[in-house]
Amino acid sequence: MSETKKKPQMKKPDKAPGTDKKVKAANVKRAYKPKVTANNKGKSRAKSAKKAQPPKPPIRVAFLGGLNEVGKNLTVFECEGDMIIVDSGMAFPDGDMLGVDLVIPDYTYLEQNRDKIRGVVITHGHEDHIGGIPYLLAKINVPIYGTPLTIGLIENKLKEHSLSAPPTLIKKSAGDRFSLGCFDIELIHVNHSIPDAVAIAMRTPAGIIVHTGDFKVDYTPIEGKMTDLNRFAALGDEGVLALFAESTNAERPGYTQTEQRVTDSFDKLFSTAYNKRIIIATFASNISRIQQIINCAVKYGRKVAFSGRSMINYMKVAQELGYVEVPDNLIIDIDQLKAYPPEKIVLATTGSQGEPMSALSRMAYSDHRKVSVGAGDFIIISAKPIPGNERTVGNVVDELLKRGCEVVYESMYEVHVSGHACQEELKLIHSLVKPAYFVPIHGEQKMLQKHRSIAMSMGMDSKNIYIGDIGKCVEISESDGIKEADPVPAGKVFVDGLGVGDVGSIVLRDRKHLGQDGLIIIVASLDVYDGHVISGPDIVSRGFVYVRESGDLMDDIKSLSLDILEDCSRRNIHEWGVIKNLIKDDIAKLIVRQTGRSPMILPILMEV
């Protein structure tokens, strides 16, 4: 028998406990390893990059103006330590702000953060967007960016103000992109009632922010192209974090009418007034409307003159920059009006809002030095009254009618169309931009709330919409959504003559008191040693009662004042503040008892 040779067996190495399981697990992993292709290799890299990408920072927005009011627009955007300002406007005073010329935002927050501010971007050249710039530059010297017409109007405005440092004004055109810190700014052409208006797209580390400025969608504009809807749509496709859209006409259904409607109305009215002088009152900044007036004047063989300082200033800048086309020898000076027959004249003037010192108001009240109006005048008010101005406009219309003028205003003919988007245009912008979050701006509370409803009707969740107020601050981010942040210093600053901020609520209260009830002044001279009355008291009344017909009341005030002063002398009271308060209190009681009125009482005491 042959012996079979056995193969030698290899000795297995010693294994640590659990090694078999690890080996099996590794084998399983290798067995199910996916095949690498060019397609899934790219997906894998994208997934890894997505996991590694840090969360985006928030963008912080502070509102210093333009909310729960019309005008005074100023919004501050901040991201990663950089700030930009959008617009710096002013507002006109209301009826309670006696003697105040205009109202500007409180710039305290901007002064506190001056080192963070990279620039101011202006959407267009209306006063409620540029009127505060001279006062802002007096506080902080920052560069101003705007389109050519807007910068031209700002330059003209700054000539009236003496700034300590020369301003930096930088011209940009619609379609331009430029950087301000971490903000990449793009200007987008929009239609408005002034040329060179733009919306703003901000590419930030937090995401894309779109600020519409004031706009409408006019498919047949008088000047330039229609609103650049393609850019809004492209931004929407790119992904917009938040939309800040104006709300001025959010209560109006439908679409804003085209400026061509006004052209047609002007044409009919010019033909109707063929034998009369035509006077047209409009906003000085509505350069497109002025162009329409010039075109009709050319067609009907009339010369054009301008009245009102702001009208002359705006036209000067617009002509120099080529924003209006004016044939040679068409424009005449207002002093030349008498050299032409009335039926050959068109006078474009300010005063469409019934402002007391405007050119049209002075004409209506026979206070204009160069123009007298009467039965041979055909007057067109080509503007809608700003809320609150209806009464003053009505008063001017009444005065013009009393003088025999024929007056046409908005409710009679289509002599004005708005420069702001109505509901359907707002919906169009929302549908194109497709923002994750929405903040309505530029309007009173009812307008902001209506714009909120419009956004919700487009499918936006109410929790993604924020309605702010002056001094409020909001933070927006992809990770944390939209939420209110700590408030910032904000409010109204009154400009009265050369004084900025020196008129406050106490001064306005006194002015209102004086205007409603008048003033009583009590003047007396007191002995410097014992305080007895040497002369007086003398009583002076202004705006309270007619002194000659109120002798008994004046005698009672004088007698009571003397009694109070002598009583203070006997009681050894020499503090003037105490003496004045005693006079005010007792005299006030006497006057209320006898007249039912409460005039301001001003004791003036002198030591002799």
Side-chain angles (χ1 to χ4, degrees):
M1 267 178 76
S2 63
E3 238 176 295
T4 308
K5 259 187 174 177
K6 292 185 179 178
K7 294 180 181 178
Q9 292 184 351
M10 299 291 293
K11 188 178 179 181
K12 293 183 180 178
D14 294 334
K15 294 179 284 184
T19 303
D20 286 339
K21 292 181 181 178
K22 290 182 180 177
V23 172
K24 286 180 182 177
N27 289 336
V28 168
K29 285 181 182 176
R30 282 196 292 269
Y32 286 92
K33 187 175 181 181
K35 186 179 179 181
V36 177
T37 64
N39 190 30
N40 62 27
K41 187 177 181 181
K43 288 181 180 177
S44 177
R45 283 179 181 170
K47 192 172 182 181
S48 300
K50 190 174 182 181
K51 284 182 180 178
Q53 188 177 7
K56 292 183 179 180
I59 186 165
R60 182 182 173 94
V61 187
F63 304 99
L64 301 189
L67 294 181
N68 294 306
E69 62 184 357
V70 176
K72 199 163 65 68
N73 300 292
L74 194 158
T75 311
V76 185
F77 294 84
E78 179 181 3
C79 189
E80 293 196 327
D82 291 327
M83 280 185 176
I84 67 165
I85 301 168
V86 174
D87 293 330
S88 181
M90 48 75 72
F92 292 107
D94 58 34
D96 293 331
M97 300 175 187
L98 302 173
V100 174
D101 296 323
L102 53 95
V103 185
I104 58 176
D106 184 345
Y107 299 127
T108 301
Y109 180 63
L110 301 180
E111 292 182 79
Q112 292 172 350
N113 294 274
R114 64 174 71 234
D115 294 335
K116 295 181 180 180
I117 299 172
R118 305 295 170 246
V120 183
V121 185
I122 305 297
T123 57
H124 63 281
H126 279 156
E127 287 295 315
D128 56 336
H129 294 258
I130 68 170
I133 287 178
Y135 306 97
L136 174 64
L137 292 178
K139 299 284 186 182
I140 51 174
N141 191 9
V142 292
I144 310 290
Y145 296 81
T147 51
L149 177 60
T150 302
I151 294 297
L153 294 172
I154 293 172
E155 285 176 333
N156 191 69
K157 178 177 290 294
L158 292 178
K159 291 176 183 177
E160 303 173 9
H161 296 261
S162 299
L163 299 175
S164 57
T168 303
L169 305 177
I170 302 167
K171 294 180 182 179
K172 298 289 182 181
S173 299
D176 287 353
R177 287 180 65 169
F178 53 97
S179 295
L180 296 177
C182 68
F183 290 83
D184 178 35
I185 307 296
E186 178 184 357
L187 304 183
I188 304 169
H189 171 73
V190 295
N191 302 132
H192 190 38
S193 53
I194 188 172
D196 254 6
V198 291
I200 302 170
M202 304 173 229
R203 290 173 174 82
T204 75
I208 297 176
I209 307 294
V210 174
H211 185 295
T212 65
D214 287 352
F215 80 101
K216 67 176 180 178
V217 180
D218 192 340
Y219 299 104
T220 55
I222 297 296
E223 175 271 334
K225 301 177 181 178
M226 66 173 285
T227 294
D228 193 350
L229 299 178
N230 288 334
R231 284 307 303 152
F232 285 107
L235 290 164
D237 292 340
E238 196 173 334
V240 171
L241 176 65
L243 170 66
F244 292 73
E246 75 138 323
S247 310
T248 309
N249 274 354
E251 297 174 289
R252 293 191 183 185
Y255 295 87
T256 301
Q257 294 292 334
T258 175
E259 285 285 343
Q260 295 292 349
R261 289 290 187 95
V262 178
T263 298
D264 296 340
S265 293
F266 275 175
D267 191 73
K268 292 175 184 176
L269 292 171
F270 269 64
S271 63
T272 301
Y274 66 94
N275 61 342
K276 294 185 176 183
R277 180 173 64 177
I278 297 176
I279 300 174
I280 304 179
T282 188
F283 291 112
S285 60
N286 197 338
I287 294 170
S288 299
R289 191 70 44 81
I290 303 298
Q291 183 67 68
Q292 292 169 304
I293 294 170
I294 289 171
N295 294 344
C296 281
V298 171
K299 180 177 179 179
Y300 288 91
R302 292 175 180 256
K303 298 290 186 180
V304 178
F306 298 110
S307 179
R309 188 179 65 167
S310 59
M311 179 73 74
I312 293 169
N313 288 341
Y314 267 88
M315 280 307 300
K316 180 182 177 183
V317 174
Q319 280 185 269
E320 289 175 353
L321 297 176
Y323 284 90
V324 288
E325 295 181 9
V326 183
D328 294 339
N329 302 319
L330 179 76
I331 306 296
I332 62 171
D333 190 86
I334 194 170
D335 293 323
Q336 297 177 275
L337 290 179
K338 293 181 180 178
Y340 297 87
E343 64 272 14
K344 293 296 182 182
I345 292 294
V346 178
L347 178 62
T349 181
T350 58
S352 62
Q353 298 302 304
E355 306 96 315
M357 298 304 295
S358 66
L360 185 64
S361 291
R362 295 202 306 271
M363 294 176 200
Y365 291 96
S366 297
D367 194 31
H368 198 289
R369 291 180 297 173
K370 298 181 179 180
V371 181
S372 298
V373 295
D377 290 311
F378 189 90
I379 299 176
I380 303 169
I381 300 179
S382 181
K384 180 186 176 184
I386 295 170
N389 289 351
E390 294 87 353
R391 185 175 178 180
T392 55
V393 173
N395 291 340
V396 169
V397 171
D398 287 346
E399 289 299 320
L400 292 170
L401 291 172
K402 287 177 186 177
R403 300 188 183 285
C405 305
E406 187 173 352
V407 184
V408 174
Y409 43 94
E410 187 202 21
S411 58
M412 299 171 64
Y413 291 89
E414 289 181 319
V415 292
H416 175 69
V417 295
S418 176
H420 302 273
C422 290
Q423 291 179 4
E424 296 305 316
E425 294 153 276
L426 296 175
K427 290 178 182 178
L428 176 59
I429 293 299
H430 277 269
S431 65
L432 293 175
V433 174
K434 303 185 287 286
Y437 303 100
F438 170 56
V439 181
I441 55 173
H442 299 180
E444 299 168 351
Q445 183 68 203
K446 58 185 179 179
M447 303 169 185
L448 304 177
Q449 292 286 356
K450 188 62 180 179
H451 203 171
R452 176 179 180 271
S453 300
I454 292 170
M456 291 173 64
S457 73
M458 301 289 292
M460 179 165 276
D461 195 324
S462 61
K463 68 181 182 182
N464 294 336
I465 304 172
Y466 176 80
I467 293 181
D469 198 358
I470 304 301
K472 292 291 182 68
C473 205
V474 65
E475 269 191 8
I476 310 172
S477 69
E478 283 189 355
S479 56
D480 296 330
I482 187 167
K483 60 183 181 181
E484 194 167 284
D486 294 334
V488 302
K492 297 177 179 178
V493 173
F494 303 125
V495 178
D496 186 356
L498 298 177
V500 180
D502 56 350
V503 173
S505 57
I506 295 175
V507 174
L508 289 180
R509 184 192 65 192
D510 287 347
R511 289 180 179 181
K512 189 175 182 180
H513 193 179
L514 286 167
Q516 291 176 339
D517 299 302
L519 171 68
I520 290 287
I521 303 174
I522 301 166
V523 184
S525 298
L526 308 180
D527 187 274
V528 69
Y529 298 107
D530 59 11
H532 76 270
V533 178
I534 295 177
S535 66
D538 296 322
I539 311 300
V540 179
S541 171
R542 291 291 181 269
F544 170 51
V545 293
Y546 186 48
V547 174
R548 291 183 180 179
E549 295 179 357
S550 305
D552 292 342
L553 176 61
M554 294 296 108
D555 290 341
D556 290 343
I557 293 172
K558 182 174 182 177
S559 176
L560 180 57
S561 300
L562 181 61
D563 291 343
I564 295 168
L565 292 170
E566 292 293 358
D567 183 59
C568 288
S569 176
R570 285 191 300 270
R571 293 161 57 193
N572 203 30
I573 298 174
H574 299 295
E575 294 84 357
W576 282 20
V578 174
I579 299 173
K580 288 181 178 180
N581 285 333
L582 288 171
I583 293 173
K584 286 180 183 179
D585 293 343
D586 289 357
I587 297 298
K589 291 175 184 176
L590 170 68
I591 291 174
V592 169
R593 190 166 59 247
Q594 293 197 20
T595 68
R597 303 178 192 173
S598 300
M600 180 179 287
I601 300 169
L602 184 62
I604 299 176
L605 306 178
M606 296 173 287
E607 286 186 333
V608 178

